Amino acid sequence: MTLSNLERKIIEGSIRDIKDFPKPGIVFKDITTLLNNAEAFGVTMNHLYQRYKEYNLDYIAGIDARGFIFGAALAQMLGIGFVPIRKKGKLPYTTISEKYSLEYGFDEVEVHLDAFSAIPNARVLLIDDLIATGGTANASVKLINQTGAKCVEACFILCLSFLDGHKKLQDLTEVYSLVEVK
């Protein structure tokens, strides 16, 4: 299931470009204008619901922090649990972690060790607002799978396809994006 032309126009029209943020030469895709636009957010969430209602998902996992917004809302709509994947040191219980490379150095994401344990072989959808270079998403898919659950798809509102991050995930899981920026 893909967006209709009208849905795509509504979503794309609600995302603001911020030039030279966070540094010169970068055009930042600001989704706060999608979130505060009731029509655009509604179109986004309805599309996600329609796409995933037949996937037999057990959980939605959202990446810190904007993935929490879309993930928690979608989990509630589907009547399933939501699991946060957070930056290192933010979760209060026993965690497992996965490091990933940044342009200069490393970062790390974590999930509770028992996040998906209530359902054996849980089927999980990973969601975030945007995929760029793919480091965080790749580490998040690996974390989900390390718990014994299965990441059945990674979903992004925006894919910056010119950065090839989505290609890093294709060996680990299916990838779906609502809007592609070439």
Side-chain angles (χ1 to χ4, degrees):
M1 175 181 195
T2 57
L3 290 172
S4 70
N5 288 335
L6 177 59
E7 290 171 324
R8 183 175 316 286
K9 183 178 178 181
I10 290 168
I11 292 170
E12 287 176 346
S14 72
I15 298 169
R16 173 173 47 194
D17 287 348
I18 308 286
K19 293 183 180 178
D20 298 321
F21 182 83
K23 61 183 184 180
I26 293 182
V27 178
F28 183 81
K29 296 293 185 182
D30 180 14
I31 60 129
T32 62
T33 47
L34 181 150
L35 296 173
N36 74 15
N37 178 324
E39 179 187 25
F41 188 65
V43 166
T44 301
M45 295 313 302
N46 184 59
H47 174 77
L48 293 173
Y49 173 77
Q50 292 301 322
R51 178 175 175 82
Y52 292 111
K53 69 181 180 179
E54 303 297 329
Y55 268 60
N56 298 314
L57 298 168
D58 297 304
Y59 296 96
I60 306 287
I63 299 175
D64 199 344
R66 291 176 293 244
F68 295 177
I69 299 165
F70 298 102
L74 183 58
Q76 191 281 323
M77 292 171 77
L78 294 171
I80 60 177
F82 173 76
V83 173
I85 295 180
R86 306 238 24 214
K87 297 196 174 162
K88 185 166 179 61
K90 300 290 185 180
L91 291 172
Y93 186 65
T94 306
T95 62
I96 58 172
S97 64
E98 184 73 29
K99 288 184 180 180
Y100 59 96
S101 314
L102 298 170
E103 189 175 348
Y104 298 103
F106 294 91
D107 209 343
E108 200 165 350
V109 288
E110 295 180 321
V111 69
H112 282 144
L113 182 62
D114 63 353
F116 309 106
S117 65
I119 301 172
N121 304 308
R123 293 173 50 82
V124 180
L125 171 69
L126 177 67
I127 193 165
D128 203 4
D129 66 325
L130 179 138
I131 185 161
T133 60
T136 308
N138 190 294
S140 297
V141 170
K142 288 178 180 177
L143 271 181
I144 292 165
N145 293 339
Q146 283 176 36
T147 68
K150 170 71 174 149
C151 182
V152 297
E153 191 163 275
C155 173
F156 307 94
I157 308 307
L158 289 170
C159 174
L160 304 183
S161 60
F162 60 93
L163 294 174
D164 292 333
H166 61 290
K167 292 180 182 176
K168 289 181 182 177
L169 293 179
Q170 291 173 338
D171 289 339
L172 299 174
T173 192
E174 298 294 318
V175 179
Y176 175 71
S177 299
L178 278 74
V179 176
E180 181 179 359
V181 179
K182 297 179 181 184

